[in-house]
């Protein structure tokens, strides 16, 4: 049985005062430069119910949007997705690149008033590193030998080898810091973090409400609370925006965004590091032959998928979307659709007349998924590949995706400013998403190790170019496009930041006047 966390004397006094006044939360005032606090609630429209509530298991964008308000991370990201100070200042790094020393900011508490210290960070990281936790971020800690907490404000992480990508891995919601004495079963029902908002109520398939955490270390959040309202239908979402029932949503359909962005509603386009992909699991019997996968790659017109499914709101991409290491989208066996070459690969695979392929998709996770699947179904049909679509609800899709229970899937995956953070968890033999990816090799293991062994950008770029080449030459997946995303919101909203990937991690700065 976990021990009970005992708040500091200061926190105890504050909680006593809250109880005496009948308040649900109280704490420190705003720091300079933060949005003025308001009494209103911001309603965020989301397309699917976020069923994942443990930060280290989160994968869906809807769950990330919610949990990024509840949990804080050791480091945050800046305007260009680079690591910046978060719960801790940027680390000091030893000359050999093996020891990272983090100093936590003073006075940070969880939303229940209990102190957040180095023990909580150590516990969180060790939980992620424990295979039993099935953490999606475990690969970020592949080079970690130990985590120590020499005093309440200091965390020392020792690596077994240099890892230039390590700080980047500490910026995502799936490394959010949890209390060291909290039972995971309890956190699944009632998440508890140190973020700008605290978990309040949940109505499955309808809404999740959060309340302002007035003790948030970054300042006083701009809204008294947030409500994430589940609205799967796009037209219903547009109507909700127009009537003011919803104040903010993220859309990936440019027509819908343009339709919604009129009058009292503003639509802002933002760039994305995320990417749409046709995932092909080489470990499945149907796709084990590289010629079969290359046939699929050559039969797909990526630009046609962008134009038909995403209405032109995207750019054809290669595997790596990180700006400093971006793949050349034309550097693959078939940069454009080549049906004759696709048929040659089918003949080489021993299936000249094509074969049957099950393709998993879900409308609930993002709006263009089914349209992408249907476009690819028609394209592959031209060379005799008979695609059977499996359209699942968002929860079933996520469960099967995580289990690697599919041959092929339409997916929208998150990108990163660092290629190792982006792909080592998929395409290394011990990656936490290896079952999902279905492809790894000794050469990729070696390349990913080389890629983090140096901080020299030119050397790293050369390594990741080789990674990209192998992924497309082996047709591990078919990378389709990076999308344009649209922040659609009430025009009266103040302090909303238009961030890459339409991240809502700084939503706490926003208010409705």
């Amino acid at each position: 049985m976990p021990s009970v966390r005992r708040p500091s004397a200061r926190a105890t006094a504050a909680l006593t005062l809250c109880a005496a006044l009948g308040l649900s939360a109280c704490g420190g005032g705003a720091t300079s430069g933060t949005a003025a606090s308001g009494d209103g609630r911001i309603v965020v429209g989301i397309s699917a119910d976020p069923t994942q509530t443990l930060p280290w298991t989160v994968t869906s964008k809807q769950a990330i949007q919610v949990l990024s308000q509840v949990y804080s991370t050791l480091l945050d990201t800046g305007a260009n997705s680079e690591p910046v100070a978060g719960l801790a200042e940027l680390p000091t790094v030893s000359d050999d690149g093996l020891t990272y020393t983090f100093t936590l900011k003073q006075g940070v508490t969880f939303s229940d008033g209990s102190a957040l210290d180095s023990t909580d960070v150590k516990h969180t990281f060790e939980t992620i590193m424990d295979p039993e936790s099935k953490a999606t971020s475990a690969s970020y800690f592949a080079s970690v030998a130990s985590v120590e907490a020499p005093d309440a404000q200091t965390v020392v992480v020792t690596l077994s080898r240099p890892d230039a990508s390590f700080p980047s891995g500490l910026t995502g919601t799936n490394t959010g810091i949890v209390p060291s004495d909290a039972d995971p079963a309890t956190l699944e029902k009632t998440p508890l973090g140190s973020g700008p908002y605290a978990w309040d109520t949940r109505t499955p398939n309808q809404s999740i409400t959060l309340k302002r955490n007035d003790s948030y270390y970054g300042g006083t959040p701009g809204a008294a609370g947030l409500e994430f309202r589940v609205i799967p239908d796009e037209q219903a979402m547009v109507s909700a925006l127009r009537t003011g029932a919803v104040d903010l949503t993220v859309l990936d359909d440019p027509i819908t965004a343009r339709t919604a962005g009129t009058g009292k509603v503003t639509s802002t386009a933002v760039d994305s590091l995320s990417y749409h992909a046709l995932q092909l699991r080489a470990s499945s019997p149907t796709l084990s032959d590289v010629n079969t996968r290359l046939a699929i790659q050559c039969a797909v017109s990526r630009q046609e998928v962008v134009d038909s499914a995403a209405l032109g709101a995207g750019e054809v991409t290669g595997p790596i979307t990180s700006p400093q290491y971006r793949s050349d989208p034309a550097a693959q066996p078939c940069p454009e659709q080549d049906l004759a070459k696709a048929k040659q690969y089918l003949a080489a695979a021993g299936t000249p007349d094509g074969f049957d392929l099950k393709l998993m998709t879900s409308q609930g996770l993002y709006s263009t998924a089914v349209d992408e699947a249907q476009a690819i179904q028609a394209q592959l049909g031209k060379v005799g590949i008979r695609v059977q679509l499996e359209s699942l609800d968002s929860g079933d899709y996520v469960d099967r995706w995580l289990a690697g229970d599919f041959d092929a899937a339409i997916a929208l995956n998150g990108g990163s400013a660092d290629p190792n953070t982006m792909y080592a968890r998929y395409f290394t033999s011990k990656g936490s998403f290896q079952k999902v990816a279905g492809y790894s090799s000794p050469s990729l293991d070696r390349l990913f190790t080389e890629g983090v062994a140096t901080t020299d950008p030119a050397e790293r770029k050369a390594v990741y170019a080789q990674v990209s080449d192998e992924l497309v030459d082996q047709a591990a997946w078919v990378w389709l496009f990076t999308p344009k995303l649209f922040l659609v919101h009430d025009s009266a909203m103040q302090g909303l930041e238009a961030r890459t990937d339409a991240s809502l991690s700084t939503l706490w700065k926003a208010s409705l006047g």
Side-chain angles (χ1 to χ4, degrees):
M1 180 177 180
S3 60
V4 176
R5 169 175 290 273
R6 298 188 181 277
S8 64
R10 182 179 64 178
T12 300
L15 290 172
T16 301
L17 178 61
C18 282
L21 296 177
L23 302 177
S24 60
C26 60
T31 58
S32 60
T34 60
S37 61
D39 295 327
R41 180 172 65 182
I42 293 175
V43 179
V44 183
I46 53 177
S47 60
D49 189 30
T51 57
Q52 298 166 314
T53 48
L54 287 176
W56 59 81
T57 64
V58 64
T59 57
S60 78
K61 67 177 183 180
Q62 293 86 0
I64 290 171
Q65 287 171 338
V66 173
L67 294 186
S68 66
Q69 314 306 317
V70 176
Y71 288 100
S72 300
T73 49
L74 202 62
L75 299 178
D76 285 334
T77 54
N80 297 313
S81 301
E82 78 282 8
V84 298
L87 287 170
E89 303 298 335
L90 287 173
T92 57
V93 184
S94 62
D95 291 341
D96 61 5
L98 296 178
T99 303
Y100 286 69
T101 302
F102 298 89
T103 301
L104 297 178
K105 293 180 178 176
Q106 295 283 343
V108 178
T109 65
F110 291 101
S111 60
D112 67 351
S114 58
L116 185 155
D117 59 29
S118 59
T119 303
D120 302 301
V121 178
K122 174 179 168 67
H123 165 76
T124 299
F125 288 178
E126 290 180 342
T127 298
I128 292 170
M129 294 164 64
D130 182 355
E132 293 297 318
S133 73
K134 299 181 180 179
T136 59
S137 48
S139 293
Y140 302 164
F141 294 81
S143 60
V144 174
S146 66
V147 182
E148 301 300 333
D151 60 57
Q153 300 304 122
T154 307
V155 178
V156 179
V157 179
T158 302
L159 307 184
S160 59
R161 64 178 188 272
D163 185 348
S165 72
F166 179 62
S168 177
L170 305 181
T171 63
T173 301
N174 50 12
T175 60
I177 305 304
V178 303
S180 58
D181 53 12
D183 185 343
T186 301
L187 292 178
E188 281 191 285
K189 295 179 181 178
T190 309
L192 174 60
S194 58
Y197 291 93
W199 190 269
D200 191 10
T201 62
R202 176 191 189 118
T203 303
N205 297 308
Q206 293 186 33
S207 66
I208 292 173
T209 62
L210 310 177
K211 55 190 177 183
R212 179 192 284 147
N213 175 14
D214 285 324
S215 63
Y216 179 52
Y217 76 92
T220 302
L226 303 178
E227 177 186 346
F228 288 84
R229 190 173 297 173
V230 181
I231 305 177
D233 182 76
E234 281 193 349
Q235 293 310 309
M237 186 76 79
V238 170
S239 297
L241 285 161
R242 287 179 166 177
T243 61
V246 165
D247 304 307
L248 167 69
T249 193
V250 177
L251 298 175
D252 52 20
D253 185 323
I255 301 300
T256 304
R258 189 158 55 244
T259 301
T262 57
K264 297 181 180 179
V265 180
T266 298
S267 177
T268 304
V270 295
D271 292 327
S272 178
L273 298 178
S274 301
Y275 57 92
H276 293 247
L278 169 58
Q279 293 189 198
L280 306 175
R281 292 189 66 252
S283 57
S284 70
T286 304
L287 298 171
S288 59
D289 190 322
V290 65
N291 292 299
T292 300
R293 303 193 302 274
L294 286 166
I296 293 173
Q297 184 193 83
C298 289
V300 170
S301 169
R302 296 176 291 169
Q303 189 60 54
E304 184 180 316
V305 173
V306 174
D307 293 340
S308 63
L311 303 176
E315 295 182 1
V316 169
T317 189
I320 298 174
T321 62
S322 313
Q324 198 169 11
Y325 308 97
R326 191 181 303 276
S327 301
D328 178 359
Q332 65 177 48
C334 289
E336 297 180 352
Q337 186 183 60
D338 189 333
L339 299 181
K341 199 167 184 180
K343 291 179 180 179
Q344 291 175 11
Y345 282 123
L346 284 175
T351 55
D353 298 323
F355 61 94
D356 296 324
L357 176 67
K358 290 184 178 181
L359 176 57
M360 185 175 74
T361 187
S362 173
Q363 181 69 51
L365 289 175
Y366 60 98
S367 66
T368 62
V370 172
D371 290 338
E372 290 172 41
Q374 290 174 343
I376 287 171
Q377 180 186 44
Q379 292 174 7
L380 297 187
K382 294 178 181 180
V383 294
I385 301 175
R386 299 170 293 278
V387 176
Q388 176 187 343
L389 297 184
E390 297 181 283
S391 186
L392 308 176
D393 67 39
S394 58
D396 288 341
Y397 176 96
V398 169
D399 288 344
R400 285 187 53 186
W401 188 84
L402 287 171
D405 182 19
F406 62 91
D407 291 330
I410 295 293
L412 169 57
N413 296 335
S416 172
D418 191 285
N420 186 75
T421 306
M422 188 171 179
Y423 283 127
R425 59 181 179 166
Y426 286 106
F427 295 112
T428 56
S429 57
K430 295 183 180 179
S432 50
F433 280 171
Q434 169 51 214
K435 189 183 295 184
V436 176
Y439 178 86
S440 64
S441 70
S443 56
L444 283 181
D445 283 351
R446 174 181 54 79
L447 287 169
F448 277 108
T449 298
E450 291 178 2
V452 296
T454 176
T455 57
D456 182 86
E459 292 181 21
R460 298 192 78 204
K461 186 171 184 176
V463 170
Y464 293 119
Q466 295 179 67
V467 169
S468 183
D469 287 345
E470 177 167 343
L471 292 176
V472 295
D473 288 346
Q474 293 294 316
W477 298 348
V478 179
W479 280 265
L480 300 170
F481 64 97
T482 54
K484 280 285 185 184
L485 298 175
F486 302 88
L487 276 171
V488 186
H489 59 91
D490 188 317
S491 299
M493 190 174 293
Q494 301 174 1
L496 180 67
E497 294 184 354
R499 310 256 302 183
T500 298
D501 287 330
S503 168
L504 299 185
S505 62
T506 58
L507 180 58
W508 69 274
K509 298 179 181 180
S511 66
L512 281 171

